């Protein structure tokens, strides 16, 4: 159960690689920990990738490294919102098959 993490407020790094963390739980964690620098949600099947990216764009301005490997719910809409994360320097989108290079979302990053 990952709900215990919802009460934390000073995280700078969070690795939930291939866990079954729920979408609501990760949203709460992201909103409560606004100074994350590193976030790994690779292989997490229960998250909405586009919504996570929109939330990151609003409350994670210090984010430097984001791993969304195999995030099947991530599309160009989510990628486009990451433009607001101006410190982002490392992004893993491997096996995110709903991202179209022709949309230009990756170029804007």
């Amino acid at each position: 159960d990952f709900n215990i993490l919802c009460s934390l407020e000073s995280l700078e790094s969070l690795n939930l690689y291939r866990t079954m963390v729920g979408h609501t739980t990760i949203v709460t964690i992201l909103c409560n920990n606004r100074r994350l620098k590193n976030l790994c949600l690779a292989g997490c099947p229960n998250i909405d990738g586009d919504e996570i990216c929109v939330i990151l764009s609003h409350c994670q301005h210090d984010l430097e490294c984001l791993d969304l490997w195999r995030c099947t719910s991530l599309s160009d809409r989510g990628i486009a919102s990451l433009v607001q994360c101006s410190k982002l320097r490392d992004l893993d989108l491997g096996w995110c098959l709903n991202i179209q290079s022709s949309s230009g979302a990756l170029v804007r990053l």
Side-chain angles (χ1 to χ4, degrees):
D1 186 17
F2 294 94
N3 286 328
I4 190 87
L5 298 176
C6 291
S7 62
L8 300 176
E9 296 179 351
S10 301
L11 291 177
E12 291 187 8
S13 185
L14 180 62
N15 186 340
L16 294 171
Y17 175 73
R18 295 187 73 178
T19 64
M20 299 301 287
V21 64
H23 183 75
T24 305
T25 301
I26 192 60
V27 168
T28 302
I29 293 168
L30 293 176
C31 291
N32 287 346
N33 292 275
R34 294 180 174 254
R35 297 198 186 268
L36 280 175
K37 293 183 179 175
N38 302 293
L39 177 62
C40 178
L41 297 175
C44 294
N46 297 331
I47 64 168
D48 179 330
D50 283 346
E51 188 176 336
I52 292 297
C53 287
V54 169
I55 290 166
L56 292 173
S57 74
H58 286 96
C59 65
Q60 295 297 335
H61 298 287
D62 291 334
L63 193 64
E64 297 176 3
C65 181
L66 177 60
D67 188 344
L68 293 172
W69 175 80
R70 283 197 180 255
C71 185
T72 58
S73 60
L74 183 62
S75 72
D76 305 318
R77 183 178 78 84
I79 296 302
S81 67
L82 291 175
V83 170
Q84 301 300 318
C85 298
S86 60
K87 294 183 181 178
L88 192 61
R89 58 177 175 70
D90 187 2
L91 179 62
D92 188 342
L93 300 175
W95 288 94
C96 295
L97 303 178
N98 292 322
I99 300 169
Q100 302 297 318
S101 60
S102 60
S103 74
L106 290 171
V107 173
R108 287 187 287 278
L109 282 179

